[in-house]
Amino acid sequence: MAIATKTLGGFDDGLCRFELDYDDVNLRLTVVRCINNTAQPASAQATATANGRTATRIFAANSTVELAIPTGPTTRLDVTIDGRGRLDGVDYQLAWPT
Amino acid sequence: MAYSFRAATSAGNASGGALSINKPAGTVDGDLIIVVGYLESDTNTWSSIGTGFTEAKNQDNTGLFDLRIWYKWASGEPASWTWTPTTTGWRTLVCASYSGGGGSGNPVDVTSGAQADGVTTPNQTAPSVTTTVANDLLIFGYGNFSGTNVTSMSGAAANLRVSLGGCTIADANIATASATGTSNPLGGPGTEDYAAMHAAFFLNPVAAVTLEQEGFRFRDDTGSESAAAWLAAQDTNISRPRDLNTRLRMLVNATGDPASQALTLQYRKQGDTDALAWRSVIKR
C-alpha cells in the first residue's frame, strides 16, 4: 500500500491547485489539499455519487490547507479507479475566486 | 477597452449523468460566460445544456470523446446551470466569465480545432486563427483522454484560467486583427489523446441585421410626389405597355442597421447574370 497523489484541478496558471491523496490499494481518498498561492480564496465541494455524501470547504488566499477525509465505513467517500487510472465516484465543484 | 477575466468554476471529472456547474463569482449581466465541456464518448451527445448557451465550436477526438465550447451573455443568471448527457459517461465542465464585452449579439469571430492520438505535450495544439477586428478574446478549450490536468500554457492563449481533469480554459486578448498562432498545454499532460480548439470572440459584436420589405405600390410618372396617380392598390402587381415611365414606391426596413454597416439597395434586370449589371438605387 502507498499513498498516491493526483492533481485534480487548478486555476490561475496553476497558482491555485487542488490535489488528492488516496490509498492505491483500497482507493479510499485520504486527503484533499488546496495549495492556494493567489490573493483570492477558492472553494471546493465533493459529492460522492454512490451515496450523496457532500463535503464543502473554503480555502483562504495565500495558504495551503490539507483536509483529512473520513475513512470510516459509514462516512468515507467511495471511489473507484477506471481503466485509465482515473478516480471515479466523486463529482467536484471547484471555484476561484469564490 | 478589452475583455477582463472575472472568475472560473469547474465541475464533474467523474462518470455520471446530469451535471451542474456554478456561476463564476461576481458575474453580472452583460458578462460573457464561456463553458467548455468534455464528454465520453465521441458519439455521445448533450441532450440538454445550460439555458441560453450557444455552441461556438465542437471538436471531437475521434473514437474517444466530445469537446465543445459554449457561450452566453449573462442576463439574470441563476446560481448554476445544468448539462445532461444523453448517455451516462465521463463528463467534465469548466466555466469562466469575462467583463468588458458588448453584452449582446453573436460574438463569435473565428474558430479552429484539432485532435490527434499519442501526441506529446508541446504538440497538442489548437490551430492559429486570424481575427478580423481588434480586441478579440481568444479562448483555448482543451481535453485529453487520460484526464491529466493542465498546469501551464504556452503560445497564443497563455493565461490558464481553469483546468479540471484536463478539461481546460485558457485565454488571451488579441489587440489587433491578426493571426494568433497556436496554443498548447505546457505543464501537466504527457503523451495524450487530445482535442483542442480556439474560439475568438468579438469585444463588441455587431447586432444581426435583418431586412423587411414592408410594402410596395406602383404609380404613374405624372405630377408631383403628392399628385401622381396610383396605378394599383398597395402590394398589387401591374402590367403596362412599354415606354411608359412608371414609379415604384417601396418601404424596406433594416433592423439593427448601425451606421458602420449601412446597407446599399441595388437592382438588376431579371435574368441578367452579369454581376456588373447591379445598379445602386440609394446609399445611406
Side-chain angles (χ1 to χ4, degrees), chain B:
Chain B
M1 190 68 181
Y3 279 103
S4 180
F5 170 74
R6 191 180 291 282
T9 56
S10 55
N13 195 33
S15 59
L19 179 63
S20 293
I21 186 165
N22 291 331
K23 178 176 62 177
T27 299
V28 299
D29 286 358
D31 282 2
L32 181 66
I33 304 169
I34 302 294
V35 170
V36 173
Y38 172 102
L39 177 63
E40 294 177 7
S41 65
D42 64 328
T43 57
N44 200 358
T45 57
W46 296 98
S47 61
S48 66
I49 62 174
T51 302
F53 280 86
T54 300
E55 183 179 311
K57 179 65 179 172
N58 172 27
Q59 178 61 64
D60 288 352
N61 179 292
T62 305
L64 298 181
F65 61 86
D66 176 285
L67 191 72
R68 293 172 194 265
I69 299 175
W70 297 272
Y71 73 89
K72 80 173 297 187
W73 295 107
S75 177
E77 298 303 324
S80 65
W81 311 275
T82 300
W83 267 251
T84 304
T86 303
T87 304
T88 296
W90 194 280
R91 76 280 189 262
T92 306
L93 297 170
V94 291
C95 177
S97 64
Y98 297 84
S99 61
S104 64
N106 180 359
V108 180
D109 184 357
V110 286
T111 63
S112 69
Q115 60 97 27
D117 293 344
V119 178
T120 56
T121 302
N123 298 316
Q124 296 168 30
T125 56
S128 177
V129 292
T130 300
T131 60
T132 62
V133 298
N135 297 316
D136 268 14
L137 172 67
L138 180 67
I139 292 292
F140 171 80
Y142 169 87
N144 65 58
F145 194 52
S146 72
T148 306
N149 208 52
V150 175
T151 56
S152 64
M153 285 291 301
S154 179
N159 303 315
L160 174 59
R161 300 305 188 185
V162 55
S163 186
L164 176 62
C167 188
T168 298
I169 292 175
D171 67 47
N173 279 301
I174 308 300
T176 59
S178 59
T180 61
T182 61
S183 303
N184 61 275
L186 187 62
T191 299
E192 304 285 353
D193 305 336
Y194 83 101
M197 299 175 283
H198 272 154
F201 294 89
F202 295 125
L203 179 65
N204 288 301
V206 174
V209 178
T210 59
L211 284 177
E212 306 96 27
Q213 197 231 314
E214 189 169 307
F216 68 92
R217 195 175 186 187
F218 288 96
R219 67 196 314 184
D220 206 352
D221 188 27
T222 56
S224 66
E225 173 64 22
S226 60
W230 296 107
L231 297 175
Q234 181 176 318
D235 303 327
T236 303
N237 295 329
I238 63 168
S239 295
R240 300 197 84 192
R242 58 179 294 181
D243 297 332
L244 284 177
N245 289 344
T246 304
R247 299 180 188 177
L248 170 62
R249 172 183 286 184
M250 58 182 175
L251 180 59
V252 180
N253 300 318
T255 300
D257 177 25
S260 61
Q261 289 203 341
L263 301 172
T264 300
L265 190 62
Q266 296 184 315
Y267 70 96
R268 185 177 69 175
K269 187 177 179 182
Q270 186 174 7
D272 191 341
T273 58
D274 183 357
L276 298 177
W278 285 104
R279 298 288 183 268
S280 293
V281 175
I282 187 172
K283 186 174 184 179
R284 53 175 290 273

Side-chain angles (χ1 to χ4, degrees), chain A residues 4 19 22-23 35 37 70-71 75 96 98:
Chain A
E19 296 177 348
Y22 64 98
D23 184 314
I35 303 167
N37 293 317
T71 56
T75 56
W96 178 91
T98 193

Side-chain angles (χ1 to χ4, degrees), chain A residues 6-25:
Chain A
K6 186 177 184 66
T7 300
L8 176 66
F11 300 91
D12 195 21
D13 286 321
L15 290 176
C16 175
R17 63 184 186 272
F18 293 84
E19 296 177 348
L20 298 174
D21 289 353
Y22 64 98
D23 184 314
D24 68 353
V25 174

Side-chain angles (χ1 to χ4, degrees), chain A residues 82-98:
Chain A
D82 72 3
R84 303 199 300 279
R86 299 181 303 188
L87 293 173
D88 197 3
V90 178
D91 270 339
Y92 303 94
Q93 291 276 358
L94 309 180
W96 178 91
T98 193

